Amino acid sequence: MTMPDHSAPFFDALLTSAQRLSFDLREIGAADDALEGCSYGMTPEWSPLFETSIWADLSEQDRQELTKREVAHFLGVAIWLEVALQIVLLRRNHSADPTRSEVKFLFNECADENLHSLMFAQAIEQLGQRHCRLDRSMKAAGWLFRTFAWGEVAYAIVLAGEEIFDVMQRDWAADERVALAVRRSSYVHVVEESRHMSFARQKIRDHLAAVSRVRRYISAIAIAIGAHIIAKGLINQRVYEGAGMPWQAAKHAIDHNEHHRMMFRRAAEPFTEFLAGEQLLNTPARAIYRMSNLL
Ligand SMILES: [Fe+2]
Ligand SMILES: [Fe+2]
């Protein structure tokens, strides 16, 4: 579908902002190990187990270790999203006119995302963690997304991931209890993602301008399923088993943790507000967001 050109000045402004404000953490060495040893992997309130009886029984050191495992997995999901985003968006623009403002911005966004993935991979290592294998269902969902996601659905699922990480990482970047590798990478990510989110919102609006009500209805449900998979994918059995916890007990505690639900709802708030404004929050979509604790 040919997009209207009236958004070109908007995409040009985003590109100018990218030229003014971009980071590259490749030159920065590992954080001080002694300092990293006694810090949290992320703001503890973001741990899905925070405020549960399991959390209450953990020592301070165990809580720090658990949040390192959890954040290493969260960052693994972030990388998974960034790579999926590039595949889907580059594929859609393979034969596009590369001098169009939006295509130039997309090239810049992919450059950002590659450096983010590298930065997150380094942060996982600096925390002394390993990549946690993703669930098979998530891998299958990734294939579906990469292969079939269309226009507004592709951009909105990308936006869901970006918005959720934005809210969490604003907390992590500002929290002195959190390991430096995570604080630093979160700060860079929050700054650079703000233009990606503006780009995605504009692209969604451009796509929606030309779609029928039926397609909008179906797209809203597809977006909700995508966001559901991201939210559920953040909780990984291997993280908790790796921390020496029986999975069923950890899962039960997380599923019944009102604090965790409240934090996820908070993380999704800017995203669901945007969806409501674009009439992408119909009844089945709402039901899915409630199931994912995102509404
Ligand atoms: Fe990113
Ligand atoms: Fe992004």
Side-chain angles (χ1 to χ4, degrees):
M1 187 196 307
T2 311
M3 285 293 112
D5 241 1
H6 60 74
S7 302
F10 178 81
F11 296 127
D12 281 336
L14 283 183
L15 197 56
T16 307
S17 119
Q19 281 155 358
R20 240 192 356 250
L21 193 58
S22 289
F23 300 88
D24 181 353
L25 288 192
R26 278 175 295 182
E27 297 299 316
I28 295 187
D32 184 338
D33 281 349
L35 212 72
E36 295 290 75
C38 58
S39 42
Y40 282 90
M42 61 181 174
T43 300
E45 286 78 4
W46 279 104
S47 168
L49 281 174
F50 187 82
E51 279 202 346
T52 63
S53 57
I54 294 180
W55 181 269
D57 289 341
L58 294 177
S59 68
E60 182 70 4
Q61 201 186 348
D62 288 343
R63 290 173 181 176
Q64 291 173 351
E65 183 57 30
L66 173 67
T67 55
K68 282 180 187 161
R69 286 178 185 275
E70 288 173 328
V71 84
H73 175 59
F74 282 18
L75 295 179
V77 173
I79 293 170
W80 178 83
L81 278 166
E82 288 179 333
V83 175
L85 169 161
Q86 293 186 67
I87 295 170
V88 94
L89 299 189
L90 285 174
R91 181 177 285 162
R92 295 180 60 81
N93 287 280
H94 190 187
S95 303
D97 173 354
T99 62
R100 279 176 69 100
S101 303
E102 59 182 283
V103 180
K104 283 190 289 182
F105 183 79
L106 175 65
F107 291 153
N108 193 91
E109 175 153 330
C110 289
D112 284 348
E113 297 298 20
N114 277 304
L115 287 179
H116 294 168
S117 292
L118 187 57
M119 170 174 84
F120 290 152
Q122 284 170 338
I124 293 169
E125 288 174 335
Q126 286 169 12
L127 289 171
Q129 300 297 317
R130 285 213 227 127
H131 175 63
C132 183
R133 192 153 47 85
L134 300 176
D135 290 339
R136 228 179 312 187
S137 59
M138 219 176 159
K139 287 186 190 166
W143 181 81
L144 285 172
F145 173 70
R146 294 192 312 261
T147 314
F148 297 112
W150 59 92
E152 65 278 13
V153 171
Y155 283 102
I157 293 175
V158 164
L159 183 65
E162 290 178 337
E163 295 268 22
I164 290 170
F165 272 93
D166 182 67
V167 174
M168 296 195 292
Q169 289 185 314
R170 279 172 193 273
D171 282 355
W172 306 348
D175 190 340
E176 289 188 354
R177 297 169 295 175
V178 172
L180 202 54
V182 173
R183 258 156 59 199
R184 252 184 338 216
S185 54
S186 297
Y187 174 74
V188 168
H189 207 234
V190 165
V191 172
E192 295 191 339
E193 285 296 328
S194 81
R195 55 183 179 248
H196 296 186
M197 293 189 288
S198 301
F199 178 66
R201 285 188 213 109
Q202 188 59 40
K203 290 295 291 178
I204 295 164
R205 288 192 189 108
D206 286 350
H207 276 286
L208 289 176
V211 304
S212 66
R213 284 175 58 180
V214 175
R215 171 156 152 185
R216 190 184 292 254
Y217 191 86
I218 295 167
S219 291
I221 298 170
I223 294 164
I225 294 169
H228 176 77
I229 288 161
I230 295 169
K232 289 291 163 192
L234 289 172
I235 315 292
N236 186 317
Q237 177 172 356
R238 292 174 196 88
V239 169
Y240 299 94
E241 287 177 346
M245 295 173 190
W247 168 237
Q248 283 311 323
K251 184 178 176 338
H252 185 266
I254 292 169
D255 286 347
H256 294 85
N257 186 2
E258 194 42 52
H259 173 82
H260 164 64
R261 272 186 217 159
M262 184 268 289
M263 294 300 271
F264 261 37
R265 271 200 300 270
R266 205 189 113 202
E269 219 169 63
F271 178 63
T272 49
E273 264 174 30
F274 169 79
L275 294 179
E278 301 302 322
Q279 281 93 51
L280 287 171
L281 212 50
N282 56 31
T283 309
R286 276 178 191 279
I288 297 169
Y289 289 116
R290 272 193 212 101
M291 227 161 50
S292 337
N293 297 325
L294 296 178
L295 198 70

